[in-house]
Amino acid sequence: MEKHIPLDNTIKELDDIMSRVNGLEVSSTDEYQMAMVSVLKTLVQGEINLFKEFEHLKKAIDLVTLEMFKIKNKN
């Protein structure tokens, strides 16, 4: 079983991958390579957005849980 990788490390790795993809974009010489780089950029950016959105959802769940406990303790 693999160890859990912290979110910050995962996003840093994805940023590193995006940098490499940007390097590929600069060195692309034909239309096919440019299209492949475009697809890779879209996929990597989607992954970054997914992890960031997941973090927002975790915070929202924490806030809702806190409010539920506050309401429960009032009654």
Side-chain angles (χ1 to χ4, degrees), residues 45-55:
Q45 190 60 50
E47 287 293 310
I48 291 170
N49 293 342
L50 180 73
F51 280 108
K52 289 182 178 178
E53 188 63 30
F54 181 68
E55 190 64 24

Side-chain angles (χ1 to χ4, degrees), residues 3-63:
K3 293 175 69 175
H4 173 72
I5 300 172
L7 178 66
D8 292 337
N9 290 355
T10 302
I11 291 178
K12 184 185 177 312
E13 287 178 15
L14 287 169
D15 283 336
D16 292 345
I17 292 170
M18 183 63 86
S19 295
R20 284 184 252 155
V21 170
N22 287 335
L24 286 173
E25 182 177 31
V26 171
S27 65
S28 297
T29 57
D30 62 15
E31 197 67 30
Y32 175 76
Q33 289 176 344
M34 292 292 286
M36 292 303 294
V37 167
S38 176
V39 169
L40 288 172
K41 285 178 84 168
T42 301
L43 290 173
V44 172
Q45 190 60 50
E47 287 293 310
I48 291 170
N49 293 342
L50 180 73
F51 280 108
K52 289 182 178 178
E53 188 63 30
F54 181 68
E55 190 64 24
H56 291 303
L57 290 173
K58 284 180 13 182
K59 289 178 184 176
I61 290 170
D62 289 343
L63 289 172

